[in-house]
Amino acid sequence: MTGDMPSDSETLLEETEPGDLKKLAPFKTYKRRWFLLGVICLLNCSNAMLWLTFAPVADKSASHFHISLDTINWLSLVYLLISIPFGLVATWILDTVGLKSAVILSAWLNMVGSIIRAFSVISFLSLGALNYTYLFIGQCLCALAQPLVIFSPTKLAALWFPDHQRATANMISSMSNPLGILIANLLSPSLVSEEKDIPLMLGVYAIPAVIACILATVGVHDKVPPTPPSASATNSTSEPFFTGLKMLLRNKPYVILMICFGAGIGLFTCFSALLEQILCVMGYSNFFAGLNGALFTVSGLLGAFLLGLYVDKTKQFIESTKICFSLTALASIAFATVSRFRNQTVPLALISSLFGFFGFSIYPVSMELAVECSYPVGEGTSTGLVFVSGQIQGIILMLTLQALTVRTSEAPFSTCDIEGGGALDWTISTLVMAGACSVVACFYVIFFHTSYKRLHAEASNAASINKIGEEATFPEA
């Protein structure tokens, strides 16, 4: 008789709702998360290459298109301008439409923009004065792709990776953007020894964009994985977009982080775009400027990798970012000082390496920190506003730095004479850049404090799931 009676355990399972059974199911990861990571990395890298195509060879590009250096700088500046209004659209797409649509749309914008840029230098089209127009239109389309792909890493990490891999996955996909900057700094001077080599450069830069578009279109199928990889991904439905925006703007720690790390993004944008022009007036070659940019980025990739692993294990987001931000400020002061002297190749190379090592390493951790202090607001919205803040501050800073330059007719060592003779002295500009970095770092260290809301929510969810699981497995007599 006893064997025919249902056990307490069977009775509990029969009374359990399907939703509760799903909660009891273990989290699961999928190998295809690495393919998605690879696609976003390639797309991020390609987009950064397209952004800084002309910065390392600004003088030769200006000569080829018969325009001024200021006009060439607008090819970089347009990325910042367009990403401000479209950045808000990109956050809505990521948190409402989904990661899949964001990745595919950005891949197509990136590819079409790179192809249109190449049209500007195709001789048989005989565009004449319109060649710069085509170049600018193509650059604008690539700029539209930037917010979508730059906002994607935190969303990808949250939806597809377990909690002990999130910071590392975010670091890998985020740092593919500075990897693109590195490639541009090395590849552009290598491809362009004379202004006639500009068409070759544009053709080469279109290749990664085409490959990334094919992989994204063919290989990205799912908005979310069938089974979530973590407790926070189980409840991945975030706050409605406009509700999330209101919550962020009322969140004091988030606002401080948005301003401070936005300033950091703006500073690094200006440094990457203007490095060649800052150094050339003191006689440093395009090759050395490209090498400095390469060291800046390689060291940043190494720093981001090490810090990402450290934070994944310790979860010390705040302490890590405060220390690295402070050291970045010191490096910016050193660069502003040493770059004003000739024949300082070794000190400049070392300073650029340290500047990148501490500065770049903050970026992926700060994006994770933005999610931690703003949860349950969507990852796209919380990281997107930080980036938009960076673009706004980058535009203001770049225009300010250019306005503070001084035209000098006596520059016997300059390797980048401008139209009308002479060169631009960037002494005041670099000092202002270092001062801004130092002030922001101090403000962040003193005033930023927050709790890790997502980690706390995951701990609570895990405790609830464990309790349900224990009741299902060991029912009371």
Side-chain angles (χ1 to χ4, degrees), residues 7 30 68 82 89 91 171 196 219 253 256 294 298 311 364 368 411 422 436 439-440 459:
S7 67
Y30 297 85
S68 66
I82 286 180
V89 177
T91 60
M171 176 273 299
K196 66 179 182 180
I256 292 174
V298 169
V311 170
E368 284 291 302
V439 169
V440 172

Side-chain angles (χ1 to χ4, degrees), residues 19-351:
D20 294 329
L21 288 173
K22 184 177 179 182
K23 289 181 181 179
L24 293 175
F27 302 127
K28 185 176 180 181
T29 57
Y30 297 85
K31 290 183 179 179
R32 64 178 177 271
R33 73 187 187 277
W34 299 110
F35 174 81
L36 292 171
L37 180 64
V39 170
I40 289 178
C41 285
L42 180 58
L43 187 54
N44 222 332
C45 181
S46 168
N47 189 260
M49 290 168 61
L50 295 170
W51 169 44
L52 283 185
T53 301
F54 303 99
V57 288
D59 50 349
K60 293 181 176 64
S61 300
S63 178
H64 179 83
F65 289 101
H66 306 291
I67 53 179
S68 66
L69 280 174
D70 284 345
T71 307
I72 284 293
N73 287 339
W74 274 99
L75 294 173
S76 300
L77 195 58
V78 71
Y79 262 65
L80 281 68
L81 283 171
I82 286 180
S83 66
I84 293 171
F86 193 68
L88 298 177
V89 177
T91 60
W92 177 84
I93 291 173
L94 269 169
D95 285 337
T96 306
V97 182
L99 180 66
K100 172 188 172 183
S101 299
V103 172
I104 293 176
L105 176 59
S106 63
W108 276 93
L109 286 169
N110 199 55
M111 181 186 72
V112 173
S114 68
I115 292 173
I116 292 177
R117 291 190 342 156
F119 285 169
S120 68
V121 291
I122 296 177
S123 57
F124 67 80
L125 292 179
S126 302
L127 295 174
L130 290 176
N131 61 355
Y132 180 76
T133 302
Y134 271 73
L135 180 66
F136 192 75
I137 291 173
Q139 197 77 351
C140 288
L141 290 176
C142 296
L144 285 172
Q146 188 192 43
L148 288 167
V149 70
I150 281 189
F151 299 173
S152 295
T154 48
K155 196 73 172 179
L156 173 72
L159 293 179
W160 286 88
F161 285 82
D163 56 358
H164 65 279
Q165 292 180 347
R166 275 200 305 249
T168 302
N170 192 15
M171 176 273 299
I172 293 171
S173 48
S174 296
M175 287 299 99
S176 57
N177 187 270
L179 178 61
I181 296 173
L182 164 65
I183 295 172
N185 276 310
L186 293 177
L187 190 58
S188 290
S190 300
L191 291 173
V192 182
S193 56
E194 301 177 33
E195 63 177 80
K196 66 179 182 180
D197 298 323
I198 296 293
L200 171 65
M201 178 180 71
L202 292 179
V204 169
Y205 277 57
I207 295 173
V210 173
I211 295 173
C213 185
I214 293 172
L215 290 176
T217 304
V218 174
V220 180
H221 303 296
D222 303 307
K223 286 176 62 176
V224 295
T227 303
S230 65
S232 63
T234 304
N235 302 313
S236 60
T237 302
S238 54
E239 295 291 332
F241 178 68
F242 289 106
T243 303
L245 282 179
K246 291 179 182 178
M247 291 175 64
L248 291 178
L249 296 177
R250 294 171 182 170
N251 185 333
K252 182 180 176 181
Y254 178 82
V255 171
I256 292 174
L257 185 144
M258 178 182 70
I259 293 172
C260 293
F261 283 106
I265 292 171
L267 286 164
F268 275 71
T269 298
C270 292
F271 184 84
S272 300
L274 301 173
L275 181 59
E276 183 260 347
Q277 297 174 55
I278 292 172
L279 293 179
C280 68
V281 68
M282 299 308 298
Y284 298 103
S285 66
N286 283 1
F287 175 79
F288 178 72
L291 178 62
N292 255 354
L295 291 171
F296 173 70
T297 309
V298 169
S299 300
L301 293 172
L302 177 61
F305 175 74
L306 296 175
L307 193 62
L309 293 177
Y310 175 76
V311 170
D312 257 338
K313 291 184 178 180
T314 64
K315 307 301 180 187
Q316 292 184 336
F317 296 93
I318 298 175
E319 296 84 351
S320 301
T321 52
K322 286 187 175 183
I323 291 171
C324 287
F325 213 151
S326 300
L327 295 173
T328 301
L330 293 176
S332 70
I333 295 171
F335 177 82
T337 303
V338 177
S339 64
R340 294 302 89 208
F341 297 96
R342 297 188 63 246
N343 302 319
Q344 300 296 316
T345 53
V346 174
L348 278 174
L350 179 61
I351 291 168

